[in-house]
Amino acid sequence: MDAELGSWRDGRARSAITDFVRRVTTEGGADYVDPAERVAVVDNDGTLWTEKPMQIEIGFILQRLAAMAEQAPDLRERQPWKAAYMHDYDWLGGAITQHYRGDDADLTVLMGGFLRAFAGMSAEDYLAASGEYLRHGSHPTLGRGFGQCAYPPMVELLRYLEAHDFTVYIASGGDRDFIRAISDEVYGIPAERVIGSSNALEYQEDERGASVVYRARPDVFDDGPVKAVRIWSRVGRRPILSAGNANGDIPMLEFTGGPSLPALRLVVLHDDEEREFAYTDGAEELLERAERGGWTVVSVRDDWTTVFR
């Protein structure tokens, strides 16, 4: 077994990865791809690290909203401040699940609170606050630091691809700058290779000379079809390998390869209740599409020897 994928059990998923990499890196072969075109894109929440009982980023937002509700009691009866103040993880996590089912009502409310929570903060201050939360906080149910919530098999995959001259990007529906705070430290992916959602920014002259500051309105929600658009706008190439775990990743996976390039599409299936969480909520369409298209489904239970370290 290839030690570079040491946490992957020998089986269909692992073979699909190693066979694909061998084919696209064998010069003179029918599927050979020049190193410049070996682009891989990988989702973050639920693909590179855990996303239950709610996405890690939502805990960061919750902390900020709860502090606002502490200072302004009238906010405690309004969502999302109410959920933050009461630690209602079901409402917060449910907003994301409902989004993947096509219902954005609660997500819109949550995003409205997020925009208010960080309006006026400089990008550097937001990055510092995100890093502080991620380095010193812990998962509410797993009892481990957030950096330890990454999946070792997926981090191994990133290194394996890079060893074969792939350029790997994170393409997430989560906030770009939140992920950038620890992307290099946890995943070995530099900040400039993180594609994600973002608030609108503006330039302001201040005591530092000048800053880029968050505004109270959205810029991009990097999910669904927008993911494919953002990948092209940031990278200028189609990926040949992609990995995701939710309905919002379908367009990214469909965009992979295209008419002139080979493709490997990986779908992470959360089916290990003992070691992590078992769920398909928000992934129903993706799993159906994977079955129809012959995409490679990665079973957390069957394909990974370890889920966390």
Side-chain angles (χ1 to χ4, degrees):
M1 183 177 289
D2 190 337
E4 292 175 295
L5 294 175
S7 297
W8 291 75
R9 291 193 176 100
D10 199 11
R12 180 176 178 270
R14 186 181 180 283
S15 293
I17 294 167
T18 57
D19 290 350
F20 178 77
V21 170
R22 176 184 51 78
R23 288 190 288 110
V24 301
T25 58
T26 300
E27 292 192 47
D31 288 330
Y32 176 74
V33 175
D34 187 82
E37 292 191 286
R38 293 178 203 163
V39 172
V41 291
V42 184
D43 173 56
N44 185 48
D45 294 306
T47 302
L48 286 176
W49 69 4
T50 190
E51 64 177 355
K52 294 295 182 180
M54 62 182 182
Q55 294 177 345
I56 290 171
E57 179 188 344
I58 293 179
F60 175 61
I61 300 170
L62 179 153
Q63 185 180 76
R64 179 79 170 180
L65 295 176
M68 293 172 71
E70 186 68 38
Q71 295 296 318
D74 60 302
L75 291 176
R76 299 173 194 173
E77 298 304 316
R78 296 168 52 193
Q79 296 289 22
W81 292 272
K82 180 179 180 180
Y85 190 73
M86 300 298 294
H87 299 281
D88 186 353
Y89 300 137
D90 288 340
W91 186 91
L92 292 158
I96 304 299
T97 299
Q98 290 170 24
H99 160 70
Y100 288 132
R101 292 173 176 168
D103 180 358
D104 283 343
D106 285 346
L107 182 64
T108 300
V109 172
L110 177 60
M111 291 304 296
F114 173 74
L115 294 171
R116 278 190 58 182
F118 298 103
M121 182 178 284
S122 74
E124 287 95 339
D125 288 345
Y126 179 85
L127 197 69
S130 299
E132 178 74 12
Y133 176 80
L134 288 165
R135 292 184 183 94
H136 300 290
S138 60
H139 190 278
T141 61
L142 294 174
R144 56 176 55 243
F146 292 127
Q148 297 175 312
C149 290
Y151 302 129
M154 293 303 293
V155 177
E156 290 172 5
L157 175 62
L158 304 182
R159 300 290 82 76
Y160 180 73
L161 294 173
E162 289 175 346
H164 291 86
D165 295 322
F166 278 73
T167 303
V168 183
Y169 293 81
I170 295 173
S172 175
D175 183 72
R176 173 196 62 208
D177 292 338
F178 182 78
I179 301 167
R180 282 176 171 174
I182 47 81
S183 63
D184 204 349
E185 183 179 323
V186 174
Y187 303 132
I189 301 295
E192 61 268 23
R193 284 198 263 125
V194 176
I195 305 167
S197 299
S198 58
N199 288 11
L201 298 167
E202 69 177 6
Y203 171 87
Q204 286 185 0
E205 295 184 357
D206 56 20
E207 67 278 0
R208 308 180 195 189
S211 295
V212 172
V213 175
Y214 287 101
R215 300 185 64 184
R217 64 177 179 83
D219 179 21
V220 172
F221 183 38
D222 191 48
D223 195 55
V226 176
K227 268 199 178 186
V229 172
R230 294 281 285 171
I231 289 166
W232 180 263
S233 68
R234 286 286 307 278
V235 181
R237 298 183 186 276
R238 282 181 182 260
I240 64 169
L241 184 149
S242 57
N245 77 298
N247 295 337
D249 295 319
I250 294 173
M252 174 181 73
L253 293 157
E254 292 277 16
F255 185 61
T256 301
S260 61
L261 291 169
L264 178 64
R265 303 171 180 91
L266 302 175
V267 175
V268 177
L269 171 62
H270 292 274
D271 56 357
D272 194 330
E273 190 171 9
E274 290 188 9
R275 296 188 297 175
E276 194 219 15
F277 304 98
Y279 61 96
T280 57
D281 287 351
E284 300 91 343
E285 293 177 35
L286 173 62
L287 293 170
E288 290 176 8
R289 182 65 189 87
E291 184 175 2
R292 292 199 313 271
W295 298 353
T296 300
V297 175
V298 177
S299 164
V300 172
R301 181 190 61 210
D302 298 334
D303 290 315
W304 293 353
T305 62
T306 186
V307 177
F308 302 114
R309 286 205 177 102

PDB file of all heavy atoms in Angstrom, residues 10 47 59 103-104 106 128 130 132 134-135 141 153 175 193 276 286-287:
ATOM      1  N   ASP A  10      -7.318  -0.228   1.307  1.00  0.00           N
ATOM      2  CA  ASP A  10      -7.258  -0.705  -0.069  1.00  0.00           C
ATOM      3  C   ASP A  10      -8.677  -1.025  -0.533  1.00  0.00           C
ATOM      4  O   ASP A  10      -9.393  -1.780   0.119  1.00  0.00           O
ATOM      5  CB  ASP A  10      -6.379  -1.955  -0.137  1.00  0.00           C
ATOM      6  CG  ASP A  10      -5.898  -2.239  -1.541  1.00  0.00           C
ATOM      7  OD1 ASP A  10      -6.068  -1.357  -2.405  1.00  0.00           O
ATOM      8  OD2 ASP A  10      -5.368  -3.337  -1.768  1.00  0.00           O
ATOM      9  N   THR A  47     -15.893  17.855   3.959  1.00  0.00           N
ATOM     10  CA  THR A  47     -14.987  17.186   3.024  1.00  0.00           C
ATOM     11  C   THR A  47     -13.569  17.157   3.576  1.00  0.00           C
ATOM     12  O   THR A  47     -12.924  16.115   3.575  1.00  0.00           O
ATOM     13  CB  THR A  47     -15.007  17.885   1.652  1.00  0.00           C
ATOM     14  OG1 THR A  47     -16.347  17.890   1.143  1.00  0.00           O
ATOM     15  CG2 THR A  47     -14.098  17.166   0.660  1.00  0.00           C
ATOM     16  N   GLY A  59     -20.030  28.416  14.644  1.00  0.00           N
ATOM     17  CA  GLY A  59     -19.704  28.623  16.053  1.00  0.00           C
ATOM     18  C   GLY A  59     -19.010  29.953  16.288  1.00  0.00           C
ATOM     19  O   GLY A  59     -19.236  30.623  17.308  1.00  0.00           O
ATOM     20  N   ASP A 103     -34.170  25.462   0.529  1.00  0.00           N
ATOM     21  CA  ASP A 103     -34.896  26.437   1.347  1.00  0.00           C
ATOM     22  C   ASP A 103     -33.883  27.356   2.029  1.00  0.00           C
ATOM     23  O   ASP A 103     -33.173  26.945   2.945  1.00  0.00           O
ATOM     24  CB  ASP A 103     -35.737  25.704   2.394  1.00  0.00           C
ATOM     25  CG  ASP A 103     -36.527  26.655   3.286  1.00  0.00           C
ATOM     26  OD1 ASP A 103     -36.398  27.886   3.124  1.00  0.00           O
ATOM     27  OD2 ASP A 103     -37.270  26.160   4.162  1.00  0.00           O
ATOM     28  N   ASP A 104     -33.815  28.613   1.586  1.00  0.00           N
ATOM     29  CA  ASP A 104     -32.824  29.551   2.107  1.00  0.00           C
ATOM     30  C   ASP A 104     -33.392  30.535   3.129  1.00  0.00           C
ATOM     31  O   ASP A 104     -32.720  31.516   3.475  1.00  0.00           O
ATOM     32  CB  ASP A 104     -32.198  30.346   0.954  1.00  0.00           C
ATOM     33  CG  ASP A 104     -31.169  29.535   0.194  1.00  0.00           C
ATOM     34  OD1 ASP A 104     -30.711  28.512   0.734  1.00  0.00           O
ATOM     35  OD2 ASP A 104     -30.827  29.918  -0.940  1.00  0.00           O
ATOM     36  N   ASP A 106     -34.004  30.436   6.490  1.00  0.00           N
ATOM     37  CA  ASP A 106     -33.222  30.614   7.717  1.00  0.00           C
ATOM     38  C   ASP A 106     -31.783  31.023   7.410  1.00  0.00           C
ATOM     39  O   ASP A 106     -31.169  31.769   8.186  1.00  0.00           O
ATOM     40  CB  ASP A 106     -33.230  29.329   8.546  1.00  0.00           C
ATOM     41  CG  ASP A 106     -34.558  29.106   9.258  1.00  0.00           C
ATOM     42  OD1 ASP A 106     -35.354  30.060   9.327  1.00  0.00           O
ATOM     43  OD2 ASP A 106     -34.795  27.979   9.734  1.00  0.00           O
ATOM     44  N   ALA A 128      -7.358  37.778  12.338  1.00  0.00           N
ATOM     45  CA  ALA A 128      -6.789  37.516  13.662  1.00  0.00           C
ATOM     46  C   ALA A 128      -7.830  36.905  14.598  1.00  0.00           C
ATOM     47  O   ALA A 128      -7.533  35.959  15.344  1.00  0.00           O
ATOM     48  CB  ALA A 128      -6.237  38.807  14.259  1.00  0.00           C
ATOM     49  N   SER A 130     -10.504  35.184  13.733  1.00  0.00           N
ATOM     50  CA  SER A 130     -10.775  33.824  13.259  1.00  0.00           C
ATOM     51  C   SER A 130      -9.688  32.869  13.722  1.00  0.00           C
ATOM     52  O   SER A 130      -9.966  31.765  14.205  1.00  0.00           O
ATOM     53  CB  SER A 130     -10.854  33.806  11.727  1.00  0.00           C
ATOM     54  OG  SER A 130     -11.892  34.624  11.252  1.00  0.00           O
ATOM     55  N   GLU A 132      -7.660  33.172  16.268  1.00  0.00           N
ATOM     56  CA  GLU A 132      -7.740  32.997  17.719  1.00  0.00           C
ATOM     57  C   GLU A 132      -8.811  31.971  18.069  1.00  0.00           C
ATOM     58  O   GLU A 132      -8.598  31.074  18.904  1.00  0.00           O
ATOM     59  CB  GLU A 132      -8.064  34.346  18.369  1.00  0.00           C
ATOM     60  CG  GLU A 132      -8.226  34.303  19.876  1.00  0.00           C
ATOM     61  CD  GLU A 132      -6.907  34.163  20.627  1.00  0.00           C
ATOM     62  OE1 GLU A 132      -5.839  34.332  20.004  1.00  0.00           O
ATOM     63  OE2 GLU A 132      -6.961  33.875  21.838  1.00  0.00           O
ATOM     64  N   LEU A 134     -10.079  29.590  16.148  1.00  0.00           N
ATOM     65  CA  LEU A 134      -9.769  28.262  15.624  1.00  0.00           C
ATOM     66  C   LEU A 134      -8.621  27.595  16.375  1.00  0.00           C
ATOM     67  O   LEU A 134      -8.608  26.369  16.530  1.00  0.00           O
ATOM     68  CB  LEU A 134      -9.434  28.362  14.136  1.00  0.00           C
ATOM     69  CG  LEU A 134     -10.635  28.648  13.230  1.00  0.00           C
ATOM     70  CD1 LEU A 134     -10.180  29.082  11.849  1.00  0.00           C
ATOM     71  CD2 LEU A 134     -11.535  27.426  13.134  1.00  0.00           C
ATOM     72  N   ARG A 135      -7.676  28.369  16.843  1.00  0.00           N
ATOM     73  CA  ARG A 135      -6.518  27.778  17.525  1.00  0.00           C
ATOM     74  C   ARG A 135      -6.793  27.460  18.989  1.00  0.00           C
ATOM     75  O   ARG A 135      -6.134  26.587  19.560  1.00  0.00           O
ATOM     76  CB  ARG A 135      -5.315  28.711  17.407  1.00  0.00           C
ATOM     77  CG  ARG A 135      -4.788  28.824  15.984  1.00  0.00           C
ATOM     78  CD  ARG A 135      -3.537  29.683  15.876  1.00  0.00           C
ATOM     79  NE  ARG A 135      -3.139  29.801  14.474  1.00  0.00           N
ATOM     80  CZ  ARG A 135      -3.503  30.809  13.673  1.00  0.00           C
ATOM     81  NH1 ARG A 135      -4.249  31.794  14.168  1.00  0.00           N
ATOM     82  NH2 ARG A 135      -3.127  30.832  12.411  1.00  0.00           N
ATOM     83  N   THR A 141     -19.105  18.970  20.535  1.00  0.00           N
ATOM     84  CA  THR A 141     -19.479  17.600  20.903  1.00  0.00           C
ATOM     85  C   THR A 141     -18.323  16.611  20.812  1.00  0.00           C
ATOM     86  O   THR A 141     -18.303  15.616  21.536  1.00  0.00           O
ATOM     87  CB  THR A 141     -20.640  17.084  20.020  1.00  0.00           C
ATOM     88  OG1 THR A 141     -20.225  17.073  18.649  1.00  0.00           O
ATOM     89  CG2 THR A 141     -21.869  17.957  20.179  1.00  0.00           C
ATOM     90  N   PRO A 153      -7.170  11.378   6.292  1.00  0.00           N
ATOM     91  CA  PRO A 153      -7.114  10.824   4.933  1.00  0.00           C
ATOM     92  C   PRO A 153      -7.205  11.894   3.845  1.00  0.00           C
ATOM     93  O   PRO A 153      -6.551  11.782   2.799  1.00  0.00           O
ATOM     94  CB  PRO A 153      -8.327   9.879   4.886  1.00  0.00           C
ATOM     95  CG  PRO A 153      -8.581   9.520   6.309  1.00  0.00           C
ATOM     96  CD  PRO A 153      -8.264  10.761   7.083  1.00  0.00           C
ATOM     97  N   ASP A 175     -16.833  30.916   4.626  1.00  0.00           N
ATOM     98  CA  ASP A 175     -16.202  32.219   4.451  1.00  0.00           C
ATOM     99  C   ASP A 175     -14.723  32.070   4.103  1.00  0.00           C
ATOM    100  O   ASP A 175     -13.966  31.398   4.800  1.00  0.00           O
ATOM    101  CB  ASP A 175     -16.359  33.046   5.728  1.00  0.00           C
ATOM    102  CG  ASP A 175     -15.784  34.435   5.570  1.00  0.00           C
ATOM    103  OD1 ASP A 175     -16.386  35.247   4.854  1.00  0.00           O
ATOM    104  OD2 ASP A 175     -14.707  34.695   6.142  1.00  0.00           O
ATOM    105  N   ARG A 193      -4.764  30.252  -2.175  1.00  0.00           N
ATOM    106  CA  ARG A 193      -5.441  29.160  -2.868  1.00  0.00           C
ATOM    107  C   ARG A 193      -6.724  28.737  -2.148  1.00  0.00           C
ATOM    108  O   ARG A 193      -7.157  27.597  -2.250  1.00  0.00           O
ATOM    109  CB  ARG A 193      -4.487  27.977  -3.063  1.00  0.00           C
ATOM    110  CG  ARG A 193      -3.491  28.237  -4.178  1.00  0.00           C
ATOM    111  CD  ARG A 193      -2.839  26.965  -4.691  1.00  0.00           C
ATOM    112  NE  ARG A 193      -1.547  26.734  -4.067  1.00  0.00           N
ATOM    113  CZ  ARG A 193      -1.204  25.624  -3.424  1.00  0.00           C
ATOM    114  NH1 ARG A 193      -2.068  24.640  -3.303  1.00  0.00           N
ATOM    115  NH2 ARG A 193      -0.009  25.494  -2.901  1.00  0.00           N
ATOM    116  N   GLU A 276     -17.628   9.312  13.857  1.00  0.00           N
ATOM    117  CA  GLU A 276     -17.918  10.719  13.566  1.00  0.00           C
ATOM    118  C   GLU A 276     -19.416  10.942  13.616  1.00  0.00           C
ATOM    119  O   GLU A 276     -20.025  10.896  14.671  1.00  0.00           O
ATOM    120  CB  GLU A 276     -17.329  11.111  12.201  1.00  0.00           C
ATOM    121  CG  GLU A 276     -17.296  12.611  11.978  1.00  0.00           C
ATOM    122  CD  GLU A 276     -17.638  13.014  10.553  1.00  0.00           C
ATOM    123  OE1 GLU A 276     -18.166  12.201   9.779  1.00  0.00           O
ATOM    124  OE2 GLU A 276     -17.390  14.185  10.222  1.00  0.00           O
ATOM    125  N   LEU A 286     -26.782  14.833  -4.552  1.00  0.00           N
ATOM    126  CA  LEU A 286     -25.395  14.516  -4.899  1.00  0.00           C
ATOM    127  C   LEU A 286     -25.188  13.010  -5.001  1.00  0.00           C
ATOM    128  O   LEU A 286     -24.562  12.518  -5.954  1.00  0.00           O
ATOM    129  CB  LEU A 286     -24.452  15.100  -3.850  1.00  0.00           C
ATOM    130  CG  LEU A 286     -22.978  14.716  -3.977  1.00  0.00           C
ATOM    131  CD1 LEU A 286     -22.390  15.210  -5.291  1.00  0.00           C
ATOM    132  CD2 LEU A 286     -22.174  15.260  -2.801  1.00  0.00           C
ATOM    133  N   LEU A 287     -25.716  12.259  -4.051  1.00  0.00           N
ATOM    134  CA  LEU A 287     -25.528  10.814  -4.063  1.00  0.00           C
ATOM    135  C   LEU A 287     -26.245  10.174  -5.249  1.00  0.00           C
ATOM    136  O   LEU A 287     -25.733   9.222  -5.857  1.00  0.00           O
ATOM    137  CB  LEU A 287     -26.004  10.215  -2.740  1.00  0.00           C
ATOM    138  CG  LEU A 287     -25.151  10.611  -1.520  1.00  0.00           C
ATOM    139  CD1 LEU A 287     -25.828  10.194  -0.227  1.00  0.00           C
ATOM    140  CD2 LEU A 287     -23.754  10.006  -1.623  1.00  0.00           C
TER     141      LEU A 287
END
